[in-house]
Amino acid sequence: IFSADNSGLVEATKAAWSPDSAKLALAIKKEKEDKMEFFVYNVKDNFKKIYQADAPDVYALEIRWSDDGRSVVYGSLDVNLQ
């Protein structure tokens, strides 16, 4: 999301908890790049990182979890965490 004067990204981090609050998904803008990095952490295992990838959709608006918390979508990334 760009600022009103188009000078840069305003919202550089997005986060969403899984339905059971056991996992946390984060999309974080890479410094000095027009790219996002996507992470999923297992909260119940001391915030162990269970997934990491570059996210091609820097303008994706939301992170969406499946009802059972086994998959998460961010832009064109569709991650199965089984």
Side-chain angles (χ1 to χ4, degrees):
I1 298 175
F2 283 91
S3 59
D5 65 357
N6 241 3
S7 62
L9 285 173
V10 172
E11 203 173 308
T13 303
K14 298 172 187 346
W17 291 96
S18 62
D20 64 358
S21 299
K23 299 178 200 84
L24 177 64
L26 295 170
I28 302 170
K29 185 177 180 306
K30 287 186 162 190
E31 195 171 332
K32 299 180 183 179
E33 293 184 46
D34 196 25
K35 295 180 183 176
M36 299 290 275
E37 204 162 11
F38 188 72
F39 302 90
V40 179
Y41 295 92
N42 183 339
V43 177
K44 292 184 177 183
D45 191 9
N46 209 22
F47 280 88
K48 179 182 177 185
K49 184 174 25 177
I50 56 175
Y51 184 83
Q52 178 180 356
D54 285 342
D57 303 307
V58 71
Y59 306 111
L61 297 178
E62 65 181 334
I63 298 169
R64 294 182 318 276
W65 283 94
S66 63
D67 290 338
D68 62 7
R70 292 183 181 175
S71 63
V72 61
V73 174
Y74 177 70
S76 63
L77 281 178
D78 189 351
V79 181
N80 185 342
L81 299 167
Q82 293 189 54

Coordinates of all heavy atoms in Angstrom, one line a residue:
I1 N 0.9 -1.2 0.0 CA 0.0 0.0 0.0 C 0.9 1.2 0.0 O 1.8 1.3 0.8 CB -0.9 0.0 1.2 CG1 -1.8 -1.2 1.2 CG2 -1.7 1.3 1.3 CD1 -2.7 -1.4 2.4
F2 N 0.7 2.1 -0.9 CA 1.5 3.3 -1.0 C 0.9 4.5 -0.3 O -0.3 4.6 -0.1 CB 1.7 3.7 -2.5 CG 2.7 2.8 -3.2 CD1 2.3 1.6 -3.8 CD2 4.1 3.1 -3.1 CE1 3.3 0.8 -4.4 CE2 5.0 2.3 -3.8 CZ 4.6 1.2 -4.4
S3 N 1.8 5.4 0.1 CA 1.3 6.6 0.7 C 0.6 7.5 -0.3 O 0.6 7.2 -1.5 CB 2.5 7.4 1.3 OG 3.4 7.7 0.2
A4 N -0.2 8.5 0.2 CA -1.0 9.3 -0.7 C -0.2 10.0 -1.8 O -0.7 10.2 -2.9 CB -1.7 10.4 0.1
D5 N 1.1 10.3 -1.5 CA 1.9 11.0 -2.5 C 2.7 10.0 -3.3 O 3.6 10.4 -4.1 CB 2.8 12.1 -1.9 CG 3.8 11.5 -0.9 OD1 3.8 10.3 -0.7 OD2 4.6 12.3 -0.4
N6 N 2.5 8.7 -3.1 CA 3.2 7.6 -3.9 C 4.7 7.6 -3.6 O 5.4 7.1 -4.4 CB 2.9 7.7 -5.4 CG 2.2 6.5 -5.9 OD1 1.9 5.6 -5.2 ND2 2.1 6.5 -7.2
S7 N 5.1 8.0 -2.4 CA 6.5 8.1 -2.1 C 7.0 6.8 -1.5 O 8.2 6.6 -1.4 CB 6.8 9.2 -1.1 OG 6.1 9.0 0.1
G8 N 6.2 5.9 -1.1 CA 6.7 4.6 -0.6 C 5.6 3.8 0.1 O 4.5 4.2 0.3
L9 N 6.0 2.6 0.5 CA 5.1 1.7 1.2 C 4.8 2.3 2.6 O 5.7 2.7 3.3 CB 5.6 0.3 1.3 CG 5.6 -0.5 0.1 CD1 6.4 -1.8 0.3 CD2 4.2 -0.8 -0.4
V10 N 3.5 2.3 2.9 CA 3.1 2.7 4.3 C 3.0 1.5 5.2 O 3.5 1.5 6.3 CB 1.7 3.4 4.2 CG1 1.2 3.7 5.6 CG2 1.9 4.7 3.4
E11 N 2.4 0.4 4.7 CA 2.2 -0.8 5.5 C 3.1 -1.8 5.1 O 3.0 -2.4 4.0 CB 0.7 -1.2 5.3 CG 0.2 -2.1 6.4 CD -1.3 -2.4 6.2 OE1 -2.0 -1.5 6.0 OE2 -1.6 -3.6 6.2
A12 N 4.2 -2.1 5.8 CA 5.3 -2.9 5.4 C 5.2 -4.3 6.1 O 6.0 -5.2 5.8 CB 6.6 -2.3 5.7
T13 N 4.3 -4.5 7.1 CA 4.2 -5.8 7.8 C 2.7 -6.2 7.9 O 1.9 -5.3 8.2 CB 4.8 -5.7 9.2 OG1 6.2 -5.3 9.0 CG2 4.8 -7.0 9.9
K14 N 2.5 -7.4 7.7 CA 1.1 -8.0 7.9 C 1.2 -9.2 8.7 O 2.2 -9.9 8.6 CB 0.5 -8.3 6.5 CG 0.3 -7.1 5.6 CD -0.2 -7.6 4.2 CE -0.2 -6.5 3.2 NZ -0.1 -5.2 3.5
A15 N 0.2 -9.5 9.6 CA 0.3 -10.6 10.4 C -1.1 -11.2 10.6 O -2.1 -10.5 10.5 CB 0.8 -10.3 11.8
A16 N -1.2 -12.5 10.8 CA -2.4 -13.2 11.0 C -2.2 -14.5 11.9 O -1.3 -15.3 11.6 CB -3.1 -13.6 9.7
W17 N -3.0 -14.6 12.9 CA -3.0 -15.8 13.7 C -3.9 -16.9 13.1 O -4.9 -16.6 12.5 CB -3.6 -15.5 15.1 CG -2.7 -14.7 15.9 CD1 -2.8 -13.3 16.1 CD2 -1.6 -15.1 16.7 NE1 -1.8 -12.9 16.9 CE2 -1.0 -13.9 17.3 CE3 -1.0 -16.3 17.0 CZ2 0.1 -13.9 18.1 CZ3 0.1 -16.3 17.8 CH2 0.6 -15.2 18.4
S18 N -3.4 -18.2 13.2 CA -4.2 -19.3 12.8 C -5.5 -19.3 13.6 O -5.5 -18.8 14.7 CB -3.4 -20.6 12.9 OG -3.1 -20.9 14.2
P19 N -6.5 -20.0 13.2 CA -7.8 -20.1 13.9 C -7.6 -20.6 15.4 O -8.3 -20.1 16.3 CB -8.7 -21.0 13.1 CG -8.2 -20.8 11.7 CD -6.7 -20.7 11.9
D20 N -6.7 -21.5 15.6 CA -6.5 -22.0 16.9 C -5.4 -21.3 17.7 O -5.0 -21.7 18.8 CB -6.2 -23.5 16.9 CG -4.9 -23.8 16.2 OD1 -4.2 -22.9 15.7 OD2 -4.5 -25.0 16.1
S21 N -4.9 -20.2 17.1 CA -3.8 -19.4 17.7 C -2.5 -20.1 18.0 O -1.7 -19.7 18.8 CB -4.3 -18.7 19.0 OG -5.4 -17.9 18.8
A22 N -2.3 -21.3 17.3 CA -1.1 -22.0 17.4 C 0.0 -21.6 16.5 O 1.2 -21.9 16.7 CB -1.4 -23.5 17.2
K23 N -0.4 -20.9 15.4 CA 0.6 -20.4 14.4 C 0.4 -19.0 14.1 O -0.7 -18.4 14.2 CB 0.5 -21.3 13.1 CG 0.7 -22.7 13.3 CD 0.5 -23.5 12.0 CE 0.3 -24.9 12.2 NZ -1.1 -25.2 12.5
L24 N 1.5 -18.3 13.8 CA 1.5 -16.9 13.4 C 2.1 -16.8 12.0 O 3.3 -17.2 11.8 CB 2.2 -16.1 14.4 CG 2.3 -14.6 14.1 CD1 1.0 -13.9 14.1 CD2 3.3 -13.9 15.1
A25 N 1.4 -16.2 11.1 CA 1.9 -15.9 9.7 C 2.3 -14.4 9.6 O 1.5 -13.6 10.0 CB 0.9 -16.3 8.7
L26 N 3.4 -14.1 9.1 CA 3.9 -12.8 8.9 C 4.4 -12.5 7.5 O 5.1 -13.4 6.9 CB 5.1 -12.5 9.8 CG 4.8 -12.5 11.3 CD1 6.2 -12.4 12.0 CD2 4.0 -11.3 11.7
A27 N 4.0 -11.4 6.9 CA 4.6 -10.9 5.6 C 5.3 -9.6 5.9 O 4.7 -8.7 6.5 CB 3.5 -10.7 4.6
I28 N 6.6 -9.6 5.6 CA 7.4 -8.4 6.0 C 8.1 -7.9 4.7 O 8.7 -8.7 4.0 CB 8.4 -8.8 7.1 CG1 7.7 -9.4 8.3 CG2 9.3 -7.7 7.4 CD1 8.7 -10.0 9.3
K29 N 8.0 -6.6 4.5 CA 8.7 -6.1 3.4 C 10.2 -6.1 3.5 O 10.7 -5.8 4.6 CB 8.3 -4.6 3.2 CG 8.9 -4.0 1.9 CD 8.5 -2.6 1.6 CE 9.0 -2.1 0.4 NZ 10.5 -2.2 0.2
K30 N 10.8 -6.6 2.5 CA 12.3 -6.7 2.5 C 12.9 -5.3 2.4 O 12.4 -4.5 1.6 CB 12.8 -7.5 1.3 CG 12.6 -9.0 1.5 CD 13.2 -9.7 0.3 CE 13.4 -11.2 0.7 NZ 14.3 -11.9 -0.3
E31 N 13.9 -5.0 3.2 CA 14.5 -3.7 3.2 C 15.1 -3.4 1.8 O 15.8 -4.2 1.2 CB 15.5 -3.6 4.3 CG 16.0 -2.3 4.6 CD 16.9 -2.2 5.8 OE1 16.7 -3.1 6.7 OE2 17.7 -1.3 5.9
K32 N 14.8 -2.2 1.3 CA 15.4 -1.7 0.0 C 15.0 -2.5 -1.2 O 15.6 -2.5 -2.2 CB 16.9 -1.6 0.1 CG 17.4 -0.7 1.2 CD 18.9 -0.6 1.2 CE 19.3 0.3 2.4 NZ 20.8 0.4 2.5
E33 N 13.9 -3.3 -1.1 CA 13.4 -4.1 -2.2 C 11.9 -4.0 -2.3 O 11.3 -3.8 -1.2 CB 13.8 -5.6 -2.1 CG 15.3 -5.9 -2.2 CD 15.5 -7.4 -2.1 OE1 14.8 -8.1 -2.8 OE2 16.4 -7.8 -1.4
D34 N 11.4 -4.1 -3.4 CA 9.9 -4.1 -3.6 C 9.4 -5.5 -3.5 O 8.7 -6.0 -4.4 CB 9.5 -3.5 -4.9 CG 8.1 -3.1 -5.0 OD1 7.5 -2.8 -3.9 OD2 7.5 -2.9 -6.1
K35 N 9.8 -6.3 -2.5 CA 9.4 -7.7 -2.3 C 9.0 -7.9 -0.8 O 9.4 -7.1 0.1 CB 10.5 -8.6 -2.6 CG 10.9 -8.6 -4.0 CD 12.1 -9.6 -4.2 CE 12.6 -9.5 -5.6 NZ 13.8 -10.4 -5.8
M36 N 8.2 -8.9 -0.6 CA 7.8 -9.3 0.7 C 8.4 -10.6 1.0 O 8.6 -11.4 0.1 CB 6.3 -9.4 0.9 CG 5.5 -8.1 0.6 SD 5.8 -6.9 1.9 CE 4.5 -7.4 3.1
E37 N 8.7 -10.9 2.3 CA 9.1 -12.2 2.7 C 8.0 -12.8 3.6 O 7.4 -12.0 4.4 CB 10.4 -12.1 3.5 CG 11.2 -13.4 3.5 CD 12.7 -13.1 3.9 OE1 13.0 -12.0 4.3 OE2 13.4 -14.0 3.7
F38 N 7.7 -14.0 3.5 CA 6.5 -14.6 4.2 C 7.1 -15.7 5.1 O 7.9 -16.5 4.8 CB 5.6 -15.3 3.2 CG 4.3 -15.7 3.8 CD1 3.3 -14.8 4.2 CD2 4.0 -17.1 3.9 CE1 2.2 -15.3 4.8 CE2 2.9 -17.5 4.5 CZ 1.9 -16.6 4.9
F39 N 6.6 -15.6 6.4 CA 7.0 -16.6 7.4 C 5.8 -17.2 8.1 O 4.8 -16.5 8.3 CB 7.9 -15.9 8.5 CG 9.1 -15.2 8.0 CD1 9.0 -13.8 7.6 CD2 10.3 -15.8 8.0 CE1 10.2 -13.2 7.2 CE2 11.4 -15.2 7.6 CZ 11.4 -13.8 7.2
V40 N 6.0 -18.4 8.6 CA 5.0 -19.0 9.5 C 5.7 -19.5 10.7 O 6.8 -20.2 10.5 CB 4.1 -20.1 8.8 CG1 3.1 -20.7 9.8 CG2 3.4 -19.5 7.6
Y41 N 5.3 -19.2 11.9 CA 5.9 -19.7 13.1 C 4.9 -20.6 13.9 O 3.7 -20.3 14.0 CB 6.3 -18.5 14.0 CG 7.3 -17.6 13.4 CD1 7.0 -16.6 12.6 CD2 8.7 -17.9 13.6 CE1 8.0 -15.8 12.0 CE2 9.7 -17.2 13.0 CZ 9.3 -16.1 12.2 OH 10.3 -15.3 11.7
N42 N 5.4 -21.6 14.6 CA 4.7 -22.4 15.5 C 4.8 -21.8 16.9 O 5.9 -21.9 17.5 CB 5.2 -23.9 15.5 CG 4.4 -24.8 16.3 OD1 3.7 -24.3 17.3 ND2 4.4 -26.1 16.0
V43 N 3.8 -21.2 17.3 CA 3.8 -20.5 18.6 C 4.0 -21.5 19.8 O 4.7 -21.2 20.8 CB 2.5 -19.6 18.8 CG1 2.5 -18.9 20.1 CG2 2.4 -18.6 17.7
K44 N 3.3 -22.6 19.7 CA 3.4 -23.6 20.8 C 4.7 -24.3 20.9 O 5.0 -25.0 21.9 CB 2.2 -24.6 20.6 CG 0.9 -24.0 20.8 CD -0.2 -25.0 20.7 CE -1.5 -24.4 21.0 NZ -2.6 -25.3 21.0
D45 N 5.6 -24.1 19.9 CA 6.9 -24.7 19.9 C 8.0 -23.6 20.0 O 8.9 -23.5 19.2 CB 7.1 -25.6 18.7 CG 8.4 -26.4 18.8 OD1 9.0 -26.5 19.9 OD2 8.7 -27.0 17.8
N46 N 7.7 -22.6 20.9 CA 8.7 -21.6 21.2 C 9.0 -20.7 19.9 O 10.1 -20.3 19.7 CB 10.0 -22.1 21.7 CG 10.7 -21.1 22.6 OD1 10.1 -20.2 23.2 ND2 12.0 -21.3 22.8
F47 N 7.9 -20.4 19.2 CA 8.0 -19.6 17.9 C 8.9 -20.2 16.9 O 9.6 -19.4 16.2 CB 8.3 -18.2 18.3 CG 7.1 -17.4 18.7 CD1 6.7 -17.4 20.0 CD2 6.3 -16.7 17.8 CE1 5.6 -16.7 20.5 CE2 5.1 -16.1 18.2 CZ 4.8 -16.0 19.5
K48 N 9.0 -21.5 16.8 CA 9.8 -22.1 15.8 C 9.3 -21.8 14.4 O 8.2 -21.9 14.1 CB 9.8 -23.7 16.0 CG 10.6 -24.4 15.0 CD 10.5 -25.9 15.2 CE 11.3 -26.6 14.2 NZ 11.1 -28.1 14.3
K49 N 10.3 -21.4 13.5 CA 9.9 -21.0 12.2 C 9.7 -22.3 11.4 O 10.5 -23.2 11.4 CB 11.1 -20.3 11.5 CG 10.7 -19.8 10.1 CD 11.8 -18.9 9.4 CE 13.1 -19.0 10.0 NZ 14.1 -18.2 9.3
I50 N 8.5 -22.4 10.8 CA 8.1 -23.7 10.1 C 8.0 -23.4 8.6 O 7.8 -24.4 7.9 CB 6.8 -24.3 10.7 CG1 5.6 -23.4 10.7 CG2 7.1 -24.9 12.1 CD1 4.3 -24.0 11.1
Y51 N 8.0 -22.2 8.2 CA 8.0 -21.9 6.7 C 8.6 -20.5 6.5 O 8.4 -19.6 7.3 CB 6.5 -21.9 6.3 CG 6.4 -21.7 4.8 CD1 6.5 -22.8 3.9 CD2 6.1 -20.4 4.3 CE1 6.4 -22.6 2.5 CE2 6.0 -20.2 2.9 CZ 6.2 -21.3 2.0 OH 6.1 -21.1 0.7
Q52 N 9.3 -20.4 5.4 CA 9.8 -19.1 4.9 C 9.9 -19.1 3.4 O 10.4 -20.1 2.8 CB 11.2 -18.8 5.5 CG 11.8 -17.5 5.1 CD 13.2 -17.3 5.7 OE1 13.6 -18.1 6.5 NE2 13.8 -16.2 5.3
A53 N 9.5 -18.0 2.8 CA 9.6 -17.9 1.3 C 9.5 -16.4 0.9 O 8.9 -15.6 1.6 CB 8.5 -18.7 0.6
D54 N 10.1 -16.1 -0.2 CA 9.8 -14.8 -0.8 C 8.4 -14.8 -1.3 O 7.9 -15.8 -1.9 CB 10.7 -14.5 -2.0 CG 12.1 -14.2 -1.6 OD1 12.3 -13.8 -0.4 OD2 13.0 -14.3 -2.4
A55 N 7.7 -13.7 -1.1 CA 6.3 -13.6 -1.5 C 6.3 -12.6 -2.7 O 6.6 -11.4 -2.6 CB 5.4 -13.0 -0.4
P56 N 5.8 -13.1 -3.9 CA 5.9 -12.2 -5.1 C 4.9 -11.1 -5.1 O 5.0 -10.2 -5.8 CB 5.6 -13.2 -6.2 CG 4.9 -14.3 -5.5 CD 5.4 -14.4 -4.1
D57 N 3.9 -11.2 -4.2 CA 2.8 -10.2 -4.3 C 2.9 -9.2 -3.2 O 2.3 -9.3 -2.1 CB 1.4 -10.9 -4.1 CG 1.2 -12.0 -5.2 OD1 1.4 -11.6 -6.4 OD2 1.0 -13.1 -4.9
V58 N 3.7 -8.2 -3.4 CA 4.0 -7.1 -2.4 C 2.7 -6.4 -2.1 O 2.6 -5.8 -1.0 CB 5.1 -6.2 -2.8 CG1 4.7 -5.3 -4.0 CG2 5.6 -5.4 -1.7
Y59 N 1.7 -6.4 -3.0 CA 0.5 -5.6 -2.8 C -0.7 -6.4 -2.2 O -1.8 -5.9 -2.2 CB 0.1 -4.9 -4.0 CG 1.3 -4.0 -4.6 CD1 1.9 -4.4 -5.7 CD2 1.7 -2.9 -3.9 CE1 3.0 -3.6 -6.2 CE2 2.8 -2.2 -4.3 CZ 3.4 -2.6 -5.5 OH 4.5 -1.8 -5.9
A60 N -0.4 -7.7 -1.9 CA -1.5 -8.5 -1.3 C -2.0 -7.9 -0.1 O -1.2 -7.4 0.7 CB -1.0 -9.9 -1.1
L61 N -3.3 -7.9 0.1 CA -3.9 -7.1 1.2 C -4.0 -7.9 2.5 O -4.1 -7.3 3.6 CB -5.2 -6.5 0.8 CG -5.2 -5.5 -0.3 CD1 -6.6 -5.1 -0.7 CD2 -4.3 -4.3 0.0
E62 N -4.1 -9.2 2.4 CA -4.4 -10.0 3.6 C -3.8 -11.4 3.6 O -3.5 -11.9 2.6 CB -5.9 -10.1 3.9 CG -6.6 -10.9 2.9 CD -8.1 -10.9 3.2 OE1 -8.5 -10.8 4.3 OE2 -8.9 -11.1 2.2
I63 N -3.6 -11.9 4.8 CA -3.2 -13.3 5.0 C -4.5 -14.0 5.4 O -5.2 -13.6 6.3 CB -2.1 -13.4 6.1 CG1 -0.9 -12.6 5.7 CG2 -1.8 -14.8 6.4 CD1 0.1 -12.4 6.8
R64 N -4.8 -15.1 4.7 CA -6.0 -15.9 5.0 C -5.6 -17.3 5.4 O -4.9 -18.0 4.7 CB -6.9 -15.9 3.8 CG -7.5 -14.5 3.5 CD -8.4 -14.6 2.3 NE -8.0 -15.5 1.2 CZ -7.2 -15.1 0.2 NH1 -6.6 -13.9 0.2 NH2 -6.9 -15.9 -0.8
W65 N -6.1 -17.8 6.6 CA -5.9 -19.1 7.1 C -7.2 -20.0 6.7 O -8.3 -19.5 6.6 CB -5.8 -19.1 8.6 CG -4.5 -18.7 9.1 CD1 -4.1 -17.4 9.5 CD2 -3.3 -19.5 9.3 NE1 -2.8 -17.4 9.9 CE2 -2.3 -18.6 9.8 CE3 -3.1 -20.8 9.1 CZ2 -1.1 -19.1 10.0 CZ3 -1.8 -21.3 9.4 CH2 -0.8 -20.5 9.8
S66 N -6.9 -21.3 6.4 CA -8.0 -22.2 6.3 C -8.7 -22.4 7.7 O -8.1 -22.1 8.7 CB -7.5 -23.6 5.8 OG -6.6 -24.1 6.7
D67 N -9.9 -22.8 7.7 CA -10.6 -23.0 9.0 C -9.9 -24.0 9.9 O -10.0 -23.8 11.1 CB -12.1 -23.5 8.7 CG -12.9 -22.4 8.1 OD1 -12.6 -21.2 8.2 OD2 -13.9 -22.8 7.4
D68 N -9.2 -25.0 9.3 CA -8.6 -26.0 10.2 C -7.1 -25.5 10.5 O -6.4 -26.3 11.3 CB -8.6 -27.3 9.6 CG -7.9 -27.4 8.2 OD1 -7.2 -26.4 7.8 OD2 -8.0 -28.5 7.6
G69 N -6.6 -24.4 10.0 CA -5.3 -23.9 10.3 C -4.2 -24.7 9.7 O -3.0 -24.6 10.0
R70 N -4.5 -25.6 8.7 CA -3.5 -26.4 8.1 C -2.9 -25.8 6.8 O -1.9 -26.3 6.3 CB -4.1 -27.8 7.7 CG -4.4 -28.6 8.9 CD -4.9 -30.0 8.5 NE -5.2 -30.7 9.7 CZ -5.7 -31.9 9.7 NH1 -6.0 -32.5 8.5 NH2 -6.0 -32.6 10.8
S71 N -3.5 -24.7 6.3 CA -3.0 -24.0 5.2 C -3.2 -22.5 5.3 O -4.1 -22.1 6.1 CB -3.5 -24.5 3.9 OG -4.9 -24.3 3.8
V72 N -2.4 -21.7 4.6 CA -2.5 -20.3 4.7 C -2.2 -19.7 3.3 O -1.4 -20.3 2.6 CB -1.5 -19.7 5.8 CG1 -0.1 -20.1 5.5 CG2 -1.7 -18.2 6.0
V73 N -2.9 -18.6 3.0 CA -2.7 -18.0 1.7 C -2.3 -16.6 1.9 O -2.9 -15.8 2.7 CB -4.0 -18.1 0.9 CG1 -3.9 -17.3 -0.4 CG2 -4.4 -19.5 0.6
Y74 N -1.3 -16.1 1.1 CA -0.9 -14.7 1.0 C -0.6 -14.4 -0.4 O 0.3 -14.9 -1.0 CB 0.3 -14.4 1.9 CG 0.8 -13.0 1.8 CD1 0.0 -12.0 2.3 CD2 1.9 -12.7 1.1 CE1 0.4 -10.6 2.2 CE2 2.3 -11.3 0.9 CZ 1.5 -10.3 1.5 OH 1.9 -9.0 1.3
G75 N -1.5 -13.7 -1.1 CA -1.3 -13.4 -2.5 C -1.4 -14.7 -3.3 O -2.3 -15.5 -3.1
S76 N -0.4 -14.9 -4.1 CA -0.4 -16.2 -4.9 C 0.3 -17.3 -4.1 O 0.3 -18.5 -4.7 CB 0.4 -15.9 -6.2 OG 1.7 -15.6 -6.0
L77 N 0.8 -17.1 -2.9 CA 1.4 -18.2 -2.1 C 0.2 -19.0 -1.5 O -0.6 -18.4 -0.8 CB 2.3 -17.7 -1.0 CG 3.7 -17.3 -1.4 CD1 4.4 -16.7 -0.1 CD2 4.5 -18.4 -1.9
D78 N 0.2 -20.3 -1.6 CA -0.8 -21.1 -1.0 C 0.0 -22.2 -0.3 O 0.6 -23.1 -0.9 CB -1.7 -21.7 -2.0 CG -2.9 -22.4 -1.4 OD1 -2.9 -22.6 -0.1 OD2 -3.8 -22.8 -2.1
V79 N 0.2 -22.1 1.0 CA 1.1 -22.9 1.8 C 0.3 -24.0 2.6 O -0.5 -23.7 3.4 CB 1.9 -22.1 2.8 CG1 2.9 -22.9 3.5 CG2 2.6 -21.0 2.0
N80 N 0.6 -25.3 2.3 CA 0.1 -26.4 3.1 C 1.1 -26.7 4.2 O 2.2 -27.1 3.9 CB -0.2 -27.6 2.1 CG -0.9 -28.7 2.8 OD1 -0.9 -28.8 4.0 ND2 -1.4 -29.6 2.0
L81 N 0.6 -26.7 5.4 CA 1.5 -26.9 6.6 C 1.3 -28.2 7.3 O 1.7 -28.4 8.4 CB 1.2 -25.8 7.6 CG 1.5 -24.4 7.1 CD1 1.0 -23.3 8.1 CD2 3.0 -24.2 6.9
Q82 N 0.7 -29.2 6.6 CA 0.5 -30.5 7.2 C 1.8 -31.2 7.4 O 2.7 -31.3 6.7 CB -0.4 -31.3 6.3 CG -1.8 -30.7 6.4 CD -2.8 -31.7 5.7 OE1 -2.9 -32.8 6.1 NE2 -3.5 -31.2 4.7

